[in-house]
Amino acid sequence: MKPNKQNFITPPLKSKKKAWNKATGRNNKGRITAWHRGGGHCRLYRNIDLKRKSTQGIVVGLEYDPNRSAFLARIFNPDTKTHNYIIAPTKIQKGDIIRSNSKRNGLQNGHSKTLQNILTGSLIYNLSISPKKDGKFLRAPGAFGLILKRTKTLAKIRLKSGQYRWFNIKTIATNGIVSNTDSCFTKLQKAGQSRWLGRRPVVRGVAMNPIDHPHGGGEGKTSGGRSSVTPWGKPTKGPSTRTNRIQPKPNVKI
């Protein structure tokens, strides 16, 4: 979806923001388990309705979310006078009507329904793994799933990865495709942008000294001369799975 400035609202809702403590690649003991993470710009998390049970109303506009690449849609409910956020689908505009837990059959963009009320062959996103749970699948920009067939209790869905998986027919999903499909074409303008996103520099092992990495050292630009290993000497791609078995000689009588 190409961003339209008329549909965007710059200031987010203060009531729907909260502090978010980033783990920066550390576990509960404070030890780094995921490398090259840390720093980054300060962010506030937006409370998004991922269950899509009661969020319905009129689309007021779209917003940028610093915690995800997809856009957010702000929904105003005139009955309760409240605002809520949902993950915006493509081709959504101001003034559109959004309903939750709808029982109408059709291809209403942005409407959430159970899988038993969605037509076979429809594109869906924000799919929950089980009933009454938050949407966990198909939330990346441009992601969508395809409903292939249904039974009385299950529905077969093709995910973005190409995997075919069965889900409970009472799980909730949303019609449409996640917005900002062109996010994969964005390029960083400078190295500082990577640091703003919380990505720290990655140093190659062959550029280190031999005391720091098994690939380090050597005269000139040496590639290491061995398979890729971690700084502790373990294979980075796992142990070898190939077995070179010697073929037995055929028993041929001359």
Side-chain angles (χ1 to χ4, degrees):
M1 180 179 69
K2 194 172 182 180
N4 187 0
K5 293 183 179 180
Q6 296 179 355
N7 294 329
F8 271 74
I9 303 176
T10 50
L13 292 171
K14 291 185 178 181
S15 61
K16 295 296 180 180
K17 295 190 300 182
K18 66 178 181 180
W20 182 45
N21 186 14
K22 294 186 290 185
T24 61
R26 288 172 169 81
N27 59 6
N28 57 349
K29 296 181 180 180
R31 297 176 181 175
I32 296 178
T33 55
W35 290 7
H36 317 302
R37 295 185 185 180
H41 199 281
C42 296
R43 303 176 185 175
L44 291 176
Y45 185 78
R46 275 70 168 164
N47 290 325
I48 306 171
D49 184 14
L50 298 175
K51 292 184 179 180
R52 291 298 308 273
K53 280 191 173 182
S54 58
T55 299
Q56 55 187 3
I58 305 172
V59 178
V60 180
L62 304 180
E63 291 186 13
Y64 165 78
D65 188 2
N67 302 296
R68 69 189 72 245
S69 298
F71 299 130
L72 299 181
R74 187 194 295 185
I75 310 299
F76 174 71
N77 192 338
D79 298 330
T80 59
K81 307 295 182 182
T82 57
H83 292 262
N84 284 320
Y85 283 133
I86 65 169
I87 298 177
T90 56
K91 299 180 181 180
I92 193 172
Q93 296 180 352
K94 280 185 180 180
D96 291 350
I97 304 298
I98 296 295
R99 299 189 182 277
S100 292
N101 208 4
S102 176
K103 295 183 180 180
R104 296 173 54 192
N105 290 329
L107 302 176
Q108 294 87 5
N109 190 27
H111 289 218
S112 67
K113 310 172 187 177
T114 56
L115 294 179
Q116 61 185 356
N117 294 323
I118 301 179
L119 298 176
T120 304
S122 302
L123 303 181
I124 58 173
Y125 73 97
N126 191 32
L127 174 64
S128 58
I129 193 171
S130 59
K132 300 181 181 180
K133 297 291 184 179
D134 291 347
K136 298 290 185 179
F137 294 92
L138 307 172
R139 286 169 23 182
F144 63 89
L146 179 64
I147 301 178
L148 298 177
K149 62 180 179 179
R150 292 179 299 179
T151 63
K152 293 183 179 180
T153 57
L154 298 174
K156 188 177 183 180
I157 297 177
R158 187 184 69 188
L159 301 177
K160 183 182 178 182
S161 61
Q163 179 186 10
Y164 297 90
R165 190 162 176 175
W166 291 91
F167 289 86
N168 192 325
I169 204 168
K170 293 185 179 180
T171 55
I172 291 182
T174 308
N175 278 114
I177 305 172
V178 184
S179 58
N180 199 10
T181 57
D182 297 334
S183 65
C184 59
F185 300 110
T186 58
K187 294 183 179 181
L188 300 180
Q189 301 298 323
K190 60 179 185 179
Q193 276 188 284
S194 184
R195 300 302 297 264
W196 296 342
L197 298 174
R199 304 170 187 165
R200 302 188 67 233
V202 181
V203 181
R204 296 169 297 129
V206 295
M208 298 182 185
N209 293 324
I211 196 174
D212 299 321
H213 201 281
H215 293 174
E219 295 293 334
K221 292 186 177 181
T222 308
S223 60
R226 59 184 295 182
S227 58
S228 300
V229 295
T230 64
W232 303 278
K234 296 182 179 180
T236 55
K237 299 179 182 179
S240 178
T241 57
R242 182 175 179 179
T243 56
N244 294 324
R245 297 180 180 178
I246 301 175
Q247 298 292 333
K249 295 182 180 180
N251 297 326
V252 179
K253 295 182 179 180
I254 300 177

